[in-house]
Amino acid sequence: VQLSRYSARQFPLLHRKTVVIHTGVDVDAVQRPRTPSLRGPRGFSPDVPLVGIAGRFVDVKGMDVFVRAAAVIAAKAPSARFFLLGDDRGRYGAEVHRLVRELGLSDRVTFTGFVGDVYAALADLDVVVVPSRRECAPVVIYESMALGKPVVASNVHGIPELVEAGQTGLLVPVEDHAAVAEAVLALLADPVGRREMGERARRRVRERFDSRQAVRRLEDVVVEVAAERAWPWSRAGRAPSRMNP
């Protein structure tokens, strides 16, 4: 079982025995009403654009790309504020902090540290950015889409399987902070289009990526594999009836 078609393609010799099951998220759990954790508590009014990224502070996640894009966005959208959600301790976190200072963004960027309820934080954002350098099927995309948030993400590996370009989010070239900034600015400039894109994303997750669907598919695979392995015995009449051909 692989989590994306991209990851399945990495094992061409096993393609006949490979099944792709996108894990998705528990949509009902993600969409449960929560107390806002960013906008209200931090004093931002509804008209202040909030843009964020969430994940582990490791190079592959592209937090530095997000910060460089933030510098471009900040120059053209002075009211925008930027959030980096996640545990920022460690060498890479220190590098991202240093980049924020070098770009003069210290008063525009907030490092939240570990977030207990990431869904509440994501729900407060207007746009979620996923500028990963490589990625299979990032959970934050499922979560953001379930919350009705348009995603600006790298057009790399398994991400295009989740985000429909121009419909549920925008895809940009890897490591292209200028393209990230352009995509975010386009969404911020079109509140109606942004909300419509978010609603399409919400529907897509419900229809395609609810984790309960993944569980049912995995159960089907287990039953099918068990039936195939039981074949010699089933012909002899010793297998459970539901496995008989």
Side-chain angles (χ1 to χ4, degrees):
V1 175
Q2 294 293 333
L3 303 183
S4 69
R5 292 190 296 275
Y6 161 75
S7 58
R9 288 195 295 271
Q10 307 314 300
F11 304 94
L13 297 180
L14 299 176
H15 73 280
R16 292 179 180 273
K17 297 183 178 181
T18 299
V19 176
V20 175
I21 300 178
H22 293 96
T23 54
V25 290
D26 183 337
V27 176
D28 289 338
V30 174
Q31 295 179 347
R32 192 172 299 134
R34 287 176 166 79
T35 302
S37 65
L38 297 182
R39 191 177 293 279
R42 296 175 186 269
F44 295 115
S45 62
D47 61 335
V48 174
L50 302 186
V51 182
I53 181 173
R56 295 178 296 120
F57 270 72
V58 290
D59 179 74
V60 69
K61 296 296 184 180
M63 267 71 174
D64 56 303
V65 178
F66 174 78
V67 170
R68 293 187 186 281
V72 177
I73 298 166
K76 298 181 178 181
S79 62
R81 294 296 183 271
F82 308 91
F83 287 85
L84 290 96
L85 313 176
D87 187 349
D88 54 335
R89 294 173 296 179
R91 187 181 66 180
Y92 182 68
E95 292 175 0
V96 178
H97 273 272
R98 184 162 52 251
L99 181 60
V100 167
R101 292 192 298 271
E102 291 174 355
L103 294 175
L105 295 172
S106 297
D107 61 338
R108 306 286 295 276
V109 172
T110 299
F111 291 84
T112 66
F114 173 77
V115 177
D117 188 348
V118 70
Y119 300 155
L122 291 173
D124 269 350
L125 299 175
D126 294 296
V127 179
V128 178
V129 180
V130 185
S132 301
R133 291 182 164 91
R134 56 184 184 275
E135 198 76 77
C136 175
V139 174
V140 68
I141 289 183
Y142 295 124
E143 295 169 337
S144 301
M145 291 171 64
L147 290 165
K149 304 299 174 181
V151 174
V152 173
S154 298
N155 187 10
V156 66
H157 298 168
I159 290 178
E161 299 174 32
L162 312 184
V163 179
E164 290 181 294
Q167 295 299 312
T168 62
L170 300 176
L171 297 177
V172 297
V174 180
E175 295 200 62
D176 190 338
H177 72 273
V180 172
E182 181 179 357
V184 171
L185 287 167
L187 290 172
L188 295 182
D190 184 9
V192 173
R194 187 172 72 239
R195 285 192 295 271
E196 291 176 347
M197 182 174 285
E199 285 304 313
R200 288 193 294 271
R202 196 195 307 268
R203 289 195 299 271
R204 178 170 170 80
V205 169
R206 173 72 70 178
E207 295 168 1
R208 297 280 305 278
F209 303 125
D210 192 306
S211 59
R212 287 169 294 191
Q213 298 174 20
V215 171
R216 287 193 294 270
R217 287 201 63 200
L218 184 58
E219 289 174 344
D220 291 342
V221 170
V222 171
V223 170
E224 182 178 345
V225 170
E228 290 177 355
R229 288 180 176 273
W231 176 255
W233 294 274
S234 67
R235 290 201 304 175
R238 294 193 294 270
S241 59
R242 73 173 185 171
M243 291 186 182
N244 287 337

